[in-house]
Amino acid sequence: MTEPAVGPRIDMEILVSLSKRRGFVFQSSEIYGGLGGFWDYGPLGVELRNNVKRAWWKAAVQERDDIVGLDASILMNPRVWVASGHVDTFADPMVDCRECKKRFRADDLEGHVAASAHGHAAEGGVARCPECGGELTEPRMFNLMFKTFVGPVEEQASTVYLRPETAQGMFVNFDNVLTSTRRKLPFGIAQIGKAFRNEITPGNFIFRDREFEQMEIEYFVKPGTDEEWHQHWVEARRNWYLGLGIRQENLRVRRLEKEELAHYAKDTYEVEYLFPMGWSELEGIANRTDFDLRRHAEFSGRQLTYYDEESGEHIVPYVIEPSAGVDRCFLAVLFDGYREETVRGEKRVLLRLHPSLAPVKAAVLPLSRHESLVPPARKVWDLLRPHWMTQYDDSQSIGRRYRRQDEVGTPYCVTVDFDTLEDQAVTIRERDSMDQVRVPIAGLVEALRERLAGV
Ligand SMILES: [Zn+2]
């Protein structure tokens, strides 16, 4: 095996093409020309996505003794978004081209945002349309929340918003969770769910979507301990990505400048990944202070406090919020795993995915379509299906099938050959090293379980 020919700095197009060809990601409603900023996850994509979410939930909820889960509704009382500040301030400056009428984010054109959808910076200080070079309007603020209506009447009073973040569902349930679980500070609420933002310029494949999924924790702490907990979470979240096999050199933590902070944040760190378009946010870890609980208490008239037995006082906890994107994590995992290698003079494409994330854990491959191999191969597949996501592939040469599995990150291939008919054994072939080992069928589940420990 040789060194990878291509590092992490591969073109986005390579992954877009692989994703479509192998069924990871499709353009939404593609047969109608698609819809900008929306994507569909195919048969392998849905597995990888679920695995990302499962890994997060395990680290965020299952393995901790201080965090509980929640699944709040997407549409909420519209007053939530008034209280949270989103109705007033959740907006991007937008400019229109006077010539071609295309719309852009003003901050993209100034080149401030590393992950700008188009990557065009203003030349000579005067921004022109990156598409046609036309003159641009003055920036106007554009609210990013999608609106819809609840009930049969389309009027102002029935306007609701598709949530632009999952966080508020956790803040408005603070008292419900506290009361029903009898938690003591510090404790957290975790949630995975869809969120929607009417981005002016979605782009960079699934990096900036209009519909996306978040994995968020609201971690409630005593005021005064917030900075210490903030550091804890920055470290914990960085380590989570490393634990999934993301290479250290492609990951960094950046503290936001004061002028980059959201309206609710005292301090924010970003975990960033080195995508082809540059360092871009995978996750934001914000100190939201007591902003949200205070605002919801004020707007709802309900008391959202915690009784501190030590001091005998009701306090409003501070919140540390690690907020990660499923889609961005998915993209980083694909980039980081992607390798092109030369093996015995032939190119092989390899997704070096952590086994816990791999969409398929094992593929069963009869050496050929010879009829004598079908029954034992099907039996081996039957044996594995209850334990893991598996595939059965009997088309084309065995070499081609190994390559196909390498390309989607399958850690193990199980080959059934003519010797199997005599010795009741099969060959396990490992993805990265391509090492092969013979094991009896009777011990196959155990042998794979050992190799897939904890998956
Ligand atoms: Zn234009």
Side-chain angles (χ1 to χ4, degrees), residues 96-104 128-136:
D96 291 294
C97 172
R98 292 190 203 278
E99 301 297 321
C100 71
K101 309 295 177 203
K102 286 223 169 69
R103 191 161 270 190
F104 306 96
R128 308 286 297 186
C129 172
E131 299 285 327
C132 75
E135 193 190 327
L136 298 170

Side-chain angles (χ1 to χ4, degrees), residues 119-238:
H120 292 276
E123 278 171 36
V126 183
R128 308 286 297 186
C129 172
E131 299 285 327
C132 75
E135 193 190 327
L136 298 170
T137 62
E138 284 299 303
R140 285 178 294 143
M141 293 313 274
F142 172 76
N143 196 294
L144 300 183
M145 285 195 293
F146 282 100
K147 278 183 198 172
T148 187
F149 302 94
V150 166
V153 189
E154 293 193 8
E155 56 173 25
Q156 189 64 30
S158 59
T159 300
V160 293
Y161 302 96
L162 269 64
R163 66 180 177 201
E165 60 176 24
T166 60
Q168 300 303 325
M170 295 182 267
F171 293 129
V172 300
N173 276 297
F174 171 76
D175 205 47
N176 284 336
V177 173
L178 189 62
T179 309
S180 60
T181 65
R182 306 165 150 275
R183 289 279 149 175
K184 301 269 176 258
L185 287 183
F187 78 94
I189 307 177
Q191 177 170 223
I192 298 177
K194 289 276 178 109
F196 304 83
R197 295 180 187 178
N198 197 2
E199 296 284 357
I200 297 163
T201 50
N204 283 319
F205 194 25
I206 54 173
F207 181 82
R208 195 191 283 164
D209 301 337
R210 290 182 167 132
E211 172 179 338
F212 55 100
E213 195 156 18
Q214 293 187 307
M215 306 181 283
E216 292 194 311
I217 299 168
E218 306 304 332
Y219 196 76
F220 301 96
V221 304
K222 283 189 190 178
T225 66
D226 51 309
E227 290 179 13
E228 198 180 313
W229 277 110
H230 200 179
Q231 293 308 319
H232 162 87
W233 278 109
V234 170
E235 205 43 41
R237 295 303 307 150
R238 181 177 169 273

Side-chain angles (χ1 to χ4, degrees), residues 1-72:
M1 204 168 87
T2 56
E3 279 302 296
V6 180
R9 301 286 215 143
I10 51 168
D11 285 349
M12 188 72 86
E13 278 315 306
I14 291 182
L15 279 192
V16 174
S17 149
L18 172 75
S19 294
K20 176 168 183 188
R21 189 160 35 85
R22 301 310 312 275
F24 282 96
V25 185
F26 307 125
Q27 195 182 7
S28 164
S29 39
E30 188 191 286
I31 61 169
Y32 289 100
L35 184 63
F38 297 89
W39 298 91
D40 295 341
Y41 287 83
L44 291 180
V46 67
E47 296 300 331
L48 175 52
R49 253 177 99 79
N50 284 343
N51 291 340
V52 165
K53 291 191 270 185
R54 205 171 286 132
W56 185 88
W57 195 263
K58 188 160 181 264
V61 181
Q62 183 188 328
E63 290 177 352
R64 294 194 66 106
D65 61 4
D66 55 354
I67 299 186
V68 292
L70 184 79
D71 189 357

